[in-house]
Amino acid sequence: MSDTVKDTAGSLVEVDGLTVDFGGLRAVDGLGFRLERGAALALVGESGSGKSTVASALLGLHRGTGAEVGGTIEVAGLDVGRASEDALRRLRGGTAAMVFQDPLSSLDPYYAVGDQIAEVYRVHTRASRRAARARAVEVLDRVGIPDAVRRSRSRPHEFSGGMRQRALIAMALACEPELLIADEPTTALDVTVQAQILDLLHTLREETGMGLLLVTHDVGVAAESVDEVLVMRHGRQVEHGSVTEVLGAPREPYTRELLGAVPRVDAPRAGRAEPGAETGAGSDAGSGAGCDAGSASGSDGPGEPVLEAVGLHRVFGRGKKAFAAVDGVSITVRRGETLGVVGESGSGKTTLGRMLVGLLEPTAGEVRHDGHARVGVDPSVQMVFQDPVSSLNPRRSVGESIADPLRARGERDETRIRARVRELLERVGLEAAHHDRYPHEFSGGQRQRVGIARALAADPRVIVCDEPVSALDVTTQAQVVALLAELQRELGLALVFIAHDLAVVRQVSDRVAVMRRGRIVEQGPADQVYDHPQDPYTGQLLAAVPALDPAVAARRRSARREPATI
């Protein structure tokens, strides 16, 4: 293969007629775009739209995988398709660098973060160990890691999620790349940390002149970060233009549907979503109606208390290492209502949820079901977890997993069990024939529906949802939330909806509790908390939520002052 390099005065990235085939599946179909030096472009679309496949193609990562790549890709003048292996190695991490969604899977858990960055620098520059080490500390400091000399000796597990993502960006910056590819860099982060990472990317682009290709399913993240947006669907370009044009006045119906499914933090809760309005795609762009869980008790107001936490404490560790994850929390959940619980990572949300279900016993305080203190696990309170992949056994069919609560209640008739499981599958929008399929055969949204079906098998009165839609694209997210709303209306369920996405929580919740460092700093009716926050911390959270208007996003970015640590 020849290393054809054009005049580097041209576009930083030029893609023309790109196709990528995996066997009989065409993942990318005739895509073309340019990215100028110093500019930022977002590839936006649902899961499976081909975004990440395009990002990988820019670095030649499909070579040797069996994928068939057609068309032309040029990065900084290098013809990626015709480049030699040596040229591709120089491209990856040197001319162009990639930041992935999950930094834990990109960082070696056995080595200090600084050593890993230094190794990347040495591979591309042949610098001495001392110089590489100094460069690692320099870039860690540049991305805002406090006490960079000391923290460079830390391993990845000793960093928070936001700090790990900063470390990955530092690694990408080590060789001063002309192009940074960020593939869903903020998906797993809470809103304040997400805002800090997006601000960091913006500042680095301004200061270094590097180009940015952002891959995201979050339209709000795109509005915060880029100059142009390219909307993808089924491997093809749907719409491409400036961020202001595409997000402010979309021409294509699909783009409008995508925007319509985005929950808005500044929109009051609309009326209850109608049964069957699961797609969320056709909802009014400003109302968020497709995501409104509503109250099952409707105009009659909330029902009787079904779940209460009274003075809950949960301490981990002992002695000087003791840490109060939940510190004196009291809440009440009534029949048919949704209580939203929001806060940053480490605020105690998940620990609270696990105590409500009985998966953790409180250090002090008590959980009451229907006014009585709970002892052990009560089937009337079930949980839907954030990651259905890890909560479903990959070696068992989804039907068997859904059947577990039925068998735990003493049901032994396999005919009745199978009939009930098939009924539950259909109830959550899947097919009865899916009974014998395994988790890997389902999409993320479908797996979450399986998790909901398993929770319903116990005939619960309360479902605690722990980040149930955080890993889903906006349209799938709207569908899952609408499903929960429909189930709530029909079954009179109470929901505890734990999430770091404040926009989703506003649209689904009757009341909201804001947690910080194990305590509830504010709680009340959702619209009151969002429109008139009483605690400064609540205001900080709301100010960090991505805005769909690029002008508003720019104003917020200039107004934010980044904390010293995350």
Side-chain angles (χ1 to χ4, degrees):
M1 293 185 179
S2 63
D3 298 334
T4 304
V5 179
K6 290 187 176 181
D7 182 358
T8 56
S11 299
L12 177 59
V13 177
E14 295 188 35
V15 176
D16 184 30
L18 176 63
T19 60
V20 182
D21 294 291
F22 298 100
L25 173 66
R26 174 148 291 188
V28 180
D29 190 4
L31 196 70
F33 63 88
R34 290 187 176 191
L35 175 63
E36 303 302 325
R37 296 174 186 276
L41 168 69
L43 299 183
V44 176
E46 299 171 274
S47 299
S49 62
K51 309 183 302 295
S52 294
T53 303
V54 174
S56 296
L58 295 185
L59 297 180
L61 295 177
H62 296 304
R63 185 175 294 181
T65 66
E68 296 181 14
V69 180
T72 60
I73 302 171
E74 294 174 2
V75 177
L78 178 70
D79 187 330
V80 175
R82 300 177 61 189
S84 67
E85 292 299 328
D86 284 343
L88 286 181
R89 278 193 289 270
R90 290 193 296 271
L91 171 69
R92 300 164 184 162
T95 306
M98 197 165 188
V99 176
F100 294 93
Q101 176 176 349
D102 180 13
L104 270 182
S105 64
S106 305
L107 295 168
D108 193 315
Y110 291 103
Y111 293 95
V113 168
D115 290 344
Q116 297 183 56
I117 296 173
E119 181 64 22
V120 170
Y121 187 67
R122 291 190 69 209
V123 165
H124 287 278
T125 66
R126 298 185 179 179
S128 67
R129 291 184 182 275
R130 181 186 295 271
R133 180 75 188 176
R135 179 59 175 166
V137 172
E138 179 185 346
V139 291
L140 284 170
D141 181 69
R142 179 64 199 84
V143 300
I145 298 292
D147 195 4
V149 174
R150 181 178 64 85
R151 296 312 300 267
S152 69
R153 295 189 287 269
S154 300
R155 288 173 172 76
H157 74 272
E158 298 177 272
F159 280 21
S160 68
M163 287 178 64
R164 282 194 292 265
Q165 199 61 284
R166 286 177 183 260
L168 211 56
I169 294 171
M171 184 181 293
L173 292 176
C175 298
E176 299 181 347
E178 297 177 54
L179 171 67
L180 181 66
I181 302 171
D183 189 359
E184 301 280 10
T186 62
T187 295
L189 305 177
D190 57 59
V191 287
T192 51
V193 179
Q194 173 179 266
Q196 293 167 25
I197 295 298
L198 295 178
D199 289 351
L200 172 62
L201 291 174
H202 184 83
T203 301
L204 291 171
R205 185 164 65 89
E206 285 187 331
E207 294 181 353
T208 67
M210 69 179 181
L212 173 66
L213 181 74
L214 177 68
V215 176
T216 182
H217 67 255
D218 190 325
V219 182
V221 167
E224 290 267 340
S225 313
V226 300
D227 311 307
E228 295 185 7
V229 173
L230 192 159
V231 180
M232 293 187 65
R233 188 184 195 190
H234 304 321
R236 298 180 180 178
Q237 174 183 311
V238 173
E239 189 163 353
H240 183 193
S242 73
V243 65
T244 303
E245 293 171 348
V246 174
L247 301 188
R251 299 186 306 273
E252 299 298 323
Y254 175 71
T255 308
R256 292 195 291 270
E257 291 174 2
L258 202 61
L259 288 167
V262 178
R264 310 298 176 97
V265 74
D266 56 353
R269 295 182 63 233
R272 287 179 290 156
E274 293 301 321
E278 279 198 37
T279 64
S283 63
D284 178 78
S287 71
C291 296
D292 182 15
S295 172
S297 49
S299 60
D300 295 332
E304 72 280 359
V306 291
L307 180 64
E308 297 170 274
V310 182
L312 284 189
H313 291 259
R314 176 67 196 200
V315 176
F316 293 100
R318 294 181 179 179
K320 293 182 179 180
K321 294 185 177 180
F323 170 69
V326 172
D327 188 7
V329 167
S330 297
I331 58 172
T332 299
V333 185
R334 299 180 180 275
R335 179 182 59 84
E337 78 166 352
T338 299
L339 173 68
V341 180
V342 299
E344 297 173 282
S345 298
S347 62
K349 306 186 304 295
T350 293
T351 301
L352 172 62
R354 289 175 179 267
M355 286 193 289
L356 294 178
V357 174
L359 297 178
L360 281 175
E361 287 298 321
T363 305
E366 65 180 18
V367 177
R368 298 173 183 169
H369 294 175
D370 297 320
H372 304 287
R374 187 214 69 223
V375 178
V377 176
D378 188 328
S380 70
V381 182
Q382 291 291 308
M383 196 165 201
V384 174
F385 296 90
Q386 175 178 357
D387 181 10
V389 174
S390 60
S391 61
L392 294 171
N393 189 330
R395 298 179 181 275
R396 303 178 70 213
S397 71
V398 297
E400 286 300 300
S401 291
I402 295 171
D404 284 342
L406 300 173
R407 295 194 174 101
R409 289 193 304 173
E411 179 62 69
R412 294 292 179 264
D413 188 316
E414 289 300 320
T415 301
R416 283 206 298 266
I417 290 174
R418 191 173 184 91
R420 176 59 175 156
V421 169
R422 291 166 70 93
E423 176 188 327
L424 288 167
L425 284 167
E426 292 178 340
R427 184 66 201 78
V428 300
L430 299 173
E431 298 177 16
H434 289 159
H435 183 287
D436 296 318
R437 292 188 181 182
Y438 289 83
H440 73 272
E441 299 179 77
F442 294 88
S443 68
Q446 288 176 322
R447 283 194 290 262
Q448 200 57 287
R449 289 172 184 264
V450 171
I452 294 170
R454 181 175 59 182
L456 291 176
D459 292 327
R461 302 189 67 191
V462 184
I463 296 182
V464 177
C465 303
D466 185 13
E467 299 279 10
V469 296
S470 64
L472 307 177
D473 58 61
V474 289
T475 48
T476 307
Q477 183 181 91
Q479 292 165 16
V480 171
V481 168
L483 171 62
L484 288 169
E486 186 179 333
L487 295 169
Q488 184 180 42
R489 284 192 304 274
E490 295 185 2
L491 303 176
L493 293 170
L495 298 178
V496 178
F497 198 96
I498 298 169
H500 66 255
D501 189 325
L502 276 77
V504 171
V505 170
R506 175 163 197 175
Q507 297 305 323
V508 306
S509 303
D510 298 291
R511 293 184 300 112
V512 173
V514 182
M515 290 193 70
R516 186 187 193 192
R517 297 175 182 171
R519 298 182 178 182
I520 292 179
V521 297
E522 184 168 356
Q523 66 175 310
D527 291 345
Q528 176 181 310
V529 170
Y530 278 75
D531 293 338
H532 307 287
Q534 300 301 303
D535 191 275
Y537 175 69
T538 307
Q540 292 172 18
L541 287 180
L542 292 170
V545 176
L548 285 178
D549 185 334
V552 174
R555 288 197 299 270
R556 288 185 179 181
R557 181 168 53 244
S558 64
R560 283 194 294 258
R561 289 184 297 180
E562 187 175 325
T565 61
I566 56 175

